[in-house]
Every structure is written in structure tokens, then in C-alpha cells.
Amino acid sequence: MRYSDKLLLISGTAHTELSRKISEELDIPLCDAHVGRFPDGEIDIKINDDIRGGDCFVLQPLCPPVNENWVELLLLLDCLKRASAGRITAVMPYYGYARKDRKDEGRVPISAKVVANTLSRSGADRVLTLDMHAAQIQGFYDIPVDHLYAKPVLLDAIRGLDIEDPVIVSPDVGGIKMARSYAKALGEGADLAIVDKRRISGSEIEVEHMIGEVDGRNVIIVDDMISTGGSISEAARICKENGAKSVMLAVSHAVLCGPAIQRLDACPADRILVTDTIPRHGASPKKLELVTVAPLFAKAIRNLHESKSLSVLFDSLDD
Ligand code: R5P
């Protein structure tokens, strides 16, 4: 693929604050672009800078309102393609619809595949994302997908707290791999425990048992996302019931929809550490602490532009 040495950053409206931080980290201004709405709600886009031949990175997480942000991203990609961009990378710090990655019952869509099809068809040459709910979604693409992890960013913050006698807890069986990798990275003495969770509906879950010991220990519950807050608040509750000394939540994506804020405020967690892949508008849970992924994305974008390896940033869960 031919592209010039012009590295161009184009921001959608999904998370302008993160776009600004990434631009500051790279010391490259965001392209002058109008991304607005026509009176009827349709999306109105016009890039005012010359982007011909450039290495273009479109910054747009697929966070709520996910459908608006998705279509905006598609139109930005199409706009760049038609303006003769040299290479186009869709940068999605949060990948929406990733929980619909298979047909687990009759007559349901595979929405994550539809996201992949539409991105590729609209002009994306690459995708850069972080902690996709299911890493195998990469296989839905025939273009390169670079998958970063929030783990190094969250681990830095956790290490800074000097937590004694930690035990890493996965709020469900699906999160064991992630939890094990955190436990391993924290070194000797960091054990692993698992919550036995059953999902009743999109927002309701039931927790009955814990596998592993948390009595008298400082618990760190790790997960890829908090959506309605049901899984993680129930996990915090059962850890406390089983004698945990303190409970901290460390989560990659704070979607925080529906009853999430009330659930998190009511749950017995002492600290709630999340990254800033999703913007916070309005109220936030009282104990929420944000750590930024802007330097991680800035480094990844720089390395991609310079055709350097990204594996040094991956800090994969397979460690
Ligand atoms: C589940 O597999 C995920 O890792 C999260 O635990 C889940 O999606 C969170 O959803 P909620 O906050 O609605 O329980």
C-alpha cells in the first residue's frame, strides 16, 4: 500500500476528548473537519484539509450512541477513501457489538461480523482497537487488525497502589484468561479466584458461588467491560460476603448504561478503576477513577505509521 509520510488524525464526534489527548501525545493537530448533522438528523461530513495520499487514522470508539457513532465512522471512512487517502486505519478504542460474535440461538444476527463487513466495505485498510470482547472477531476481517490491551495501563495504576496480598478475581468463567494474566503479571502471591455467574437477561445476573479463597485478602476484580454493572457489582458483593478485606474493580471499558451507576454506587467496591475509552457525560459513579489510554494509542499509531512492530505494546493475555 502506498501512502505518503503525512500522518493525519481525523476525529469523529464519539469521544473528542480522547482524540484531543491522542493528538497532543503525538504532537499532531487533528484535521480540520466538519462532522455534524443535517436538520433531519442525517450525518453531514466535510474534511477541510487536503488528505490526498496521507496515512489517515480515524478516531472513533463505537460507544453509546453506538448506532450513530458506527454510521458516522462509516461515512468518515467513505469520505477519506473518495478523497484519495493513501491508507485508512479505523481506530476504535472501544469496539461495539463485540458481544454478538456468534449465532448462539436461532434467528439472531452476528452483529460483530456486520460491523466488520461495513468497515471493510467503507474503506478501512486496517483496524486498531483495544480489548475487544472476543479477540476472534479479528477473523471476521480480511485486513490487518491490531488488538491492544488495557492491561499494561491498568497494571501500572494497580502497581502504584502497592496492594498487599492481592487476589485477582474473574467475575465469570469467560474472564479467566484475562484474570490469570493479571495475576501472573502481579507476580508471586497474587492468586486467582472465579465467580460462578449465570446470566438471566441482558441486565440481570445471578451469582451463587466463588471458586477460590478471598477471605482476608485484597481483591482486584478485572473485566473487559462494565455495561449495566450487574456482573461486577454482584462479584464485589460475593467477594465481601466471603470475607474480602477490600475490593477494587479494574475494567477496560466503562460503558455504564441503564442501572450501572446506581449499582456501582451501591456495591461494596472501595475503588473503581477504568480507562477512558468511553467518554463520561453527566453523572459518574462516586468511586470512579479514570486512567488514560491516549499514550498507548499514540504509540500504536506512531509505530503503525513508521511500519514498526506493535507487539511491544500488545502485552498479550497469553503471557
Ligand atoms: C461478560 O462476558 C463481560 O465480560 C462483562 O462481564 C459483561 O458484559 C458486563 O455486563 P454487565 O455490566 O451488564 O453485567
Side-chain angles (χ1 to χ4, degrees), residues 99 133 172 197 199 202 223-231:
R99 284 177 289 180
H133 180 67
D172 54 33
K197 151 183 138 182
R199 187 168 281 288
D223 205 352
D224 65 325
M225 68 165 84
I226 305 176
S227 185
T228 66
S231 310

Side-chain angles (χ1 to χ4, degrees), residues 133-310:
H133 180 67
Q136 61 271 23
I137 290 172
Q138 292 170 58
F140 290 167
Y141 288 89
D142 287 321
I143 53 174
V145 177
D146 292 302
H147 189 197
L148 305 172
Y149 297 93
K151 190 177 89 173
V153 177
L154 289 171
L155 266 179
D156 256 9
I158 292 169
R159 287 197 182 106
L161 297 171
D162 252 336
I163 298 172
E164 274 174 23
D165 200 17
V167 53
I168 303 291
V169 172
S170 171
D172 54 33
V173 175
I176 294 176
K177 191 174 172 192
M178 175 182 256
R180 189 186 295 123
S181 83
Y182 273 78
K184 200 167 168 193
L186 280 178
E188 293 293 309
D191 292 330
L192 185 64
I194 301 152
V195 174
D196 180 15
K197 151 183 138 182
R198 196 165 64 90
R199 187 168 281 288
I200 298 165
S201 71
S203 64
E204 298 296 325
I205 57 127
E206 199 173 80
V207 161
E208 276 168 16
H209 313 285
M210 283 215 66
I211 304 160
E213 268 303 319
V214 296
D215 192 14
R217 312 280 300 271
N218 292 306
V219 161
I220 306 168
I221 305 177
V222 298
D223 205 352
D224 65 325
M225 68 165 84
I226 305 176
S227 185
T228 66
S231 310
I232 211 144
S233 57
E234 278 299 285
R237 179 188 60 77
I238 199 151
C239 286
K240 271 288 186 190
E241 277 177 18
N242 280 267
K245 194 150 94 184
S246 72
V247 176
M248 174 167 135
L249 316 181
V251 178
S252 313
H253 306 294
V255 182
L256 306 190
C257 55
I261 296 182
Q262 295 91 305
R263 282 174 171 173
L264 291 173
D265 280 343
C267 93
D270 303 280
R271 306 183 87 118
I272 305 173
L273 204 61
V274 301
T275 80
D276 60 351
T277 56
I278 293 178
R280 299 285 340 121
H281 302 300
S284 278
K286 292 190 192 80
K287 292 169 192 153
L288 199 77
E289 297 171 48
L290 285 179
V291 286
T292 185
V293 291
L296 178 67
F297 273 94
K299 273 185 216 138
I301 289 170
R302 174 67 70 200
N303 282 14
L304 282 177
H305 178 63
E306 293 175 356
S307 298
K308 288 188 184 152
S309 165
L310 288 199

Side-chain angles (χ1 to χ4, degrees), residues 9-16 19 31-37 43-48 51 56-62 68-85 87-92 118-119 121-124:
L9 299 173
I10 300 98
S11 177
T13 61
H15 197 347
T16 48
S19 300
C31 274
D32 179 11
H34 166 75
V35 185
R37 298 292 181 273
I43 295 163
D44 176 24
I45 293 178
K46 164 84 178 152
I47 312 258
N48 297 314
I51 55 99
C56 298
F57 292 83
V58 187
L59 314 173
Q60 178 87 332
L62 294 194
E68 281 283 320
N69 291 332
W70 178 11
V71 177
E72 202 179 276
L73 175 58
L74 297 180
L75 296 183
L76 279 164
L77 296 172
D78 185 75
C79 172
L80 293 169
K81 180 176 70 175
R82 290 174 198 282
S84 306
R87 180 175 75 166
I88 307 170
T89 303
V91 181
M92 296 185 288
T118 54
L119 257 64
R121 287 298 301 270
S122 300

